[in-house]
C-alpha cells in the first residue's frame, strides 16, 4: 500500500458546512486520504465555502490567491472548491481560477471520490447537480474512530421559504428530510463512539418531516438512546414551530433549553418585504408560548439591518422587539445584496446608515447577552465537559444554556455531565465549582 495522501479542508460558513467537511473527509478516507491541519503539506486542498453574504464569498477568492504560490511550487497538489459558492458560481470559478481542479456543490458530495480519481488523471471536474439519489446513502459510513462529546448531525437540508435576501434555497436546493431510521442509526453509532450531545442540523430543521411526528417525534426517539445526554437543533423558522415541538421543550429532559429562532426584523413592513410570512406579533406570541412550556429557555436569533426600504421607524421596531424578547445570544448582520435574489433588484439603504444601525443593534444585543450571562452567577447549571481548560486541572464545557463554563475538575473525563455552581462571569465564559 502506498503512503497515505493528505487532505486539508478549510471550512467557512454554518455548522452544516462543518458537518459536510467531516463527511467529505471520511469519504476521501476511502481514497487513501488522511486529514492534515496544514495546507502546506497537503496533496489535496478543499475550500468548503459559504455564499450567504458578499464578504463570505470573497473570502474564497482571496484564499485561492494565497494558495497560488503553493500550487506553483507543487503543481501536483489538487485544489477543490465545495460548498455554497461552488453551487452558486461553479462554472465561473472554473473560468476565473484555472488553478482549481474540481468544484462540487453540496448535493453531490458523494461523487467526490470519483471526481478525485478523474482529477488525478489530469482532468478538471465540475458537479453542481441536484441529483435524484440521496447523498447520505452513498457517502461512505463514518469510520469507527472515537469522537468528541459534542457532534453535529444533519437531518434536513435545503429551504423552500425563499426569503427575499437569501441564497440558501438556490445553493442548498429544496427542503429534504433524511428518514428517521437513518438518523437514529447514525446517532446510535455516534453515541457508541463517545458522543453525548447531538445538535440536529437543518436550514429549516423544524420543518423536518422524516418522522411521522415531525422533529418532535425524532427528538423523542433520539431521547431513548442510552448514553445520549443532550439534544439540540438548529436553525428553526418561526412558521414551523408546531405545538408538538413546543411541548417537547416542556417535558423532554434531554432537549436542552436553548432555541435559535431567527426573526430578522421587528417591523411588519420589512418582514413582508422580506417574504418572511409572519409578523412581529406572531413571533412574540410564539415566544410566549415557548416560554410557557419551558420558562428558563435561552433564546437566540438573527437580525438583518439595512434591508432595502428599511426606515428609521422600522429599525426602531426591531429594537423594540429585541427589548421585548431578551436574547441570551444573537447574530446581527448588515444586509448584503446577493445576485439572483429578489431583494438585490431593490433600492439599497445607504451604507453609512446601515452601519450605524448595526452598531446600535449590536450594542443592545451585547448588553442583553452580558446581563443574562452575569445573572448566571450564583445559579447551578449542568455542564457537559468537553476538554481541558486553560489552567492545570481545569475542564471546560457547555451549560444547558450553551454558555461556556470552566471549573476545577482534575478527575473528570471529557463527556461527563456534572452539576456546577457558577461563581464568576468573565468576558466569554463562566467560571464555576463542582457541586
Ligand atoms: N436557515 C437559517 C439560516 C440562514 S443564514 C434561517 O433561516 O435562519 C443565517 C443568517 O444569515 C440568516 O438568519 C440571516 O440573518 C443572515 N443572512 C442571510 N442572508 C443574508 C444577506 N443577504 N445579508 C445579510 N444577512 C443575511
Ligand atoms: Fe434563507 Fe429564509 Fe430559508 Fe432561512 S428560511 S435559509 S433565511 S430563505
Ligand atoms: Fe453559508 Fe451555505 Fe451555510 S451559504 S451559511 S454555507 S448553507
Amino acid at each position: 500500500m502506498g503512503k497515505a495522501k493528505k487532505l486539508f479542508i478549510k471550512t467557512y460558513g454554518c455548522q452544516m458546512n462543518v458537518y459536510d467537511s467531516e463527511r467529505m473527509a471520511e469519504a476521501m478516507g476511502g481514497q487513501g486520504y488522511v486529514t492534515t491541519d496544514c495546507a502546506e503539506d497537503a496533496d489535496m486542498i478543499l475550500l468548503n465555502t459559504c455564499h450567504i453574504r458578499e464578504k463570505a464569498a470573497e473570502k474564497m477568492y482571496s484564499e485561492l490567491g494565497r494558495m497560488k504560490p503553493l500550487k506553483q511550487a507543487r503543481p501536483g497538489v489538487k485544489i477543490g472548491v465545495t460548498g455554497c459558492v461552488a453551487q452558486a458560481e461553479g462554472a465561473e470559478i472554473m473560468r476565473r481560477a484555472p488553478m482549481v481542479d474540481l468544484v462540487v456543490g453540496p448535493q453531490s458530495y458523494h461523487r467526490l471520490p470519483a471526481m478525485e480519481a478523474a482529477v488525478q488523471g489530469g482532468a478538471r471536474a465540475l458537479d453542481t447537480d441536484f441529483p435524484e439519489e440521496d447523498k447520505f446513502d452513498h457517502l461512505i459510513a463514518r469510520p469507527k474512530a472515537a469522537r468528541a462529546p459534542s457532534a453535529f448531525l444533519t437531518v434536513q437540508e435545503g429551504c423552500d421559504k425563499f426569503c427575499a435576501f437569501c441564497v440558501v434555497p438556490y445553493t442548498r436546493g429544496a427542503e429534504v428530510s433524511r428518514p428517521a431510521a437513518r438518523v437514529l442509526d447514525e446517532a446510535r453509532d455516534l453515541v457508541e463512539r463517545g458522543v453525548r450531545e447531538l445538535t440536529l442540523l437543518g436550514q429549516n430543521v423544524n420543518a423536518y418531516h422524516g418522522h411521522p411526528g415531525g422533529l418532535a417525534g425524532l427528538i423523542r426517539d433520539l431521547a431513548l438512546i442510552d448514553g445520549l445526554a443532550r439534544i439540540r437543533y438548529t436553525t428553526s423558522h418561526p412558521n414551523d414551530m408546531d405545538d408538538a415541538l413546543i411541548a417537547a421543550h416542556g417535558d423532554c429532559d434531554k432537549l436542552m433549553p436553548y432555541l435559535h429562532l431567527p426573526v430578522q426584523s421587528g417591523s411588519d413592513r420589512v418582514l413582508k418585504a422580506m417574504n418572511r410570512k409572519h409578523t412581529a406579533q406572531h413571533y412574540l406570541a410564539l415566544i410566549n408560548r415557548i416560554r410557557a412550556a419551558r420558562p428558563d429557555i435561552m433564546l437566540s436569533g438573527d437580525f438583518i439591518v439595512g434591508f432595502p426600504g428599511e426606515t428609521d421607524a422600522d429599525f426602531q421596531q426591531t429594537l423594540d422587539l429585541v427589548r421585548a424578547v431578551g436574547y441570551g445570544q444573537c447574530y446581527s448582520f448588515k444586509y448584503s445584496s446577493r445576485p439572483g435574489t429578489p431583494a438585490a433588484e431593490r433600492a439599497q439603504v445607504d451604507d453609512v446608515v446601515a452601519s450605524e444601525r448595526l452598531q446600535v443593534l449590536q450594542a443592545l444585543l451585547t448588553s442583553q447577552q452580558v446581563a443574562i450571562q452575569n445573572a448566571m452567577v450564583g445559579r447551578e447549571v449542568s455542564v457537559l465537559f468537553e476538554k481541558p481548560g486553560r489552567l492545570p486541572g481545569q475542564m471546560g464545557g457547555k451549560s444547558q444554556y450553551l454558555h461556556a463554563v470552566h471549573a476545577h475538575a482534575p478527575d473528570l473525563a471529557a463527556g461527563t455531565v456534572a452539576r456546577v455552581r457558577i461563581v464568576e462571569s468573565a468576558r466569554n465564559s463562566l467560571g464555576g465549582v463542582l457541586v
Side-chain angles (χ1 to χ4, degrees):
M1 229 179 92
K3 196 159 88 32
K5 291 174 281 185
K6 289 188 182 156
L7 172 67
F8 173 80
I9 307 185
K10 182 154 183 169
T11 306
Y12 302 86
C14 63
Q15 291 139 321
M16 195 172 285
N17 265 7
V18 174
Y19 176 83
D20 288 342
S21 291
E22 288 170 9
R23 295 295 303 257
M24 284 191 278
E26 287 162 3
M28 294 299 280
Q31 300 293 107
Y33 281 87
V34 295
T35 52
T36 170
D37 295 332
C38 174
E40 277 66 35
D41 61 25
D43 300 289
M44 171 166 268
I45 296 173
L46 295 179
L47 303 181
N48 194 11
T49 59
C50 173
H51 200 240
I52 200 80
R53 285 168 289 275
E54 192 181 355
K55 279 211 179 89
E58 277 168 4
K59 278 187 192 155
M60 181 207 64
Y61 285 107
S62 34
E63 187 66 37
L64 282 178
R66 278 196 292 278
M67 285 181 171
K68 233 181 204 148
L70 207 150
K71 177 91 175 175
Q72 275 159 358
R74 290 194 298 132
V77 180
K78 302 300 177 196
I79 297 187
V81 178
T82 66
C84 290
V85 185
Q87 187 62 47
E89 299 180 356
E92 195 190 332
I93 296 168
M94 292 299 259
R95 238 186 350 262
R96 255 177 80 174
M99 64 186 281
V100 170
D101 298 287
L102 74 88
V103 171
V104 55
Q107 300 316 332
S108 301
Y109 289 158
H110 54 298
R111 296 177 176 169
L112 187 58
M115 292 173 77
E116 191 270 348
V119 160
Q120 291 301 344
R124 295 179 84 210
L126 167 70
D127 192 336
T128 51
D129 285 355
F130 289 105
E132 281 293 311
E133 73 269 17
D134 177 351
K135 69 175 166 185
F136 293 111
D137 288 351
H138 291 81
L139 275 166
I140 66 156
R142 308 182 124 192
K144 302 279 171 199
R147 300 268 312 194
S150 197
F152 296 132
L153 205 180
T154 292
V155 303
Q156 180 278 340
E157 198 166 340
C159 181
D160 298 337
K161 299 269 192 298
F162 291 92
C163 298
F165 49 81
C166 185
V167 295
V168 171
Y170 312 96
T171 64
R172 290 275 164 175
E175 261 183 50
V176 178
S177 295
R178 293 178 70 191
R182 311 265 170 75
V183 174
L184 287 159
D185 281 347
E186 190 171 336
R188 280 187 213 100
D189 176 61
L190 288 167
V191 170
E192 273 170 27
R193 290 152 55 191
V195 169
R196 295 291 166 262
E197 173 179 288
L198 278 177
T199 301
L200 310 179
L201 299 182
Q203 266 88 37
N204 278 281
V205 70
N206 55 346
Y208 178 78
H209 56 264
H211 185 290
L215 185 63
L218 178 68
I219 289 170
R220 289 187 192 277
D221 280 0
L222 285 165
L224 299 174
I225 299 177
D226 279 338
L228 180 62
R230 293 175 155 194
I231 303 165
R232 305 180 184 277
Y233 61 89
T234 199
T235 293
S236 36
H237 191 287
N239 290 353
D240 294 314
M241 268 328 276
D242 61 15
D243 291 342
L245 190 54
I246 295 174
H249 274 288
D251 62 20
C252 180
D253 292 340
K254 291 187 181 180
L255 181 58
M256 291 294 102
Y258 184 99
L259 178 62
H260 183 62
L261 195 61
V263 62
Q264 314 297 353
S265 168
S267 152
D268 289 345
R269 232 175 49 81
V270 172
L271 287 170
K272 191 160 197 301
M274 286 177 164
N275 192 33
R276 289 289 294 184
K277 299 198 171 80
H278 61 74
T279 61
Q281 194 45 49
H282 168 248
Y283 181 80
L284 290 171
L286 180 60
I287 298 283
N288 283 340
R289 283 167 52 219
I290 297 164
R291 280 189 166 141
R294 182 75 204 220
D296 65 336
I297 200 157
M298 187 71 69
L299 290 165
S300 146
D302 291 338
F303 288 91
I304 294 176
V305 300
F307 185 77
E310 184 189 67
T311 63
D312 272 329
D314 292 320
F315 176 61
Q316 290 307 320
Q317 290 175 0
T318 294
L319 298 178
D320 290 343
L321 179 141
V322 170
R323 288 190 198 99
V325 173
Y327 289 98
Q329 155 92 54
C330 240
Y331 304 89
S332 49
F333 313 97
K334 192 162 74 169
Y335 169 74
S336 171
S337 171
R338 308 308 290 128
T341 60
E345 314 295 322
R346 304 178 193 162
Q348 308 287 304
V349 168
D350 181 79
D351 191 57
V352 176
V353 172
S355 297
E356 276 169 14
R357 287 180 191 162
L358 186 62
Q359 272 188 19
V360 173
L361 176 61
Q362 289 187 335
L364 174 63
L365 290 168
T366 304
S367 72
Q368 288 192 339
Q369 185 179 329
V370 168
I372 287 173
Q373 193 190 298
N374 289 348
M376 288 287 155
V377 176
R379 282 184 58 180
E380 231 181 86
V381 296
S382 95
V383 176
L384 171 62
F385 285 100
E386 291 173 304
K387 51 179 187 289
R390 269 178 305 160
L391 300 177
Q394 209 178 54
M395 284 288 286
K398 295 273 164 51
S399 79
Q400 66 268 52
Y401 308 113
L402 217 52
H403 284 128
V405 178
H406 55 85
H408 185 73
D411 303 324
L412 271 195
T416 309
V417 177
R419 302 291 300 173
V420 171
R421 191 162 47 79
I422 301 300
V423 294
E424 59 167 349
S425 174
R427 232 179 103 83
N428 291 314
S429 68
L430 294 165
V433 290
L434 295 178
V435 294

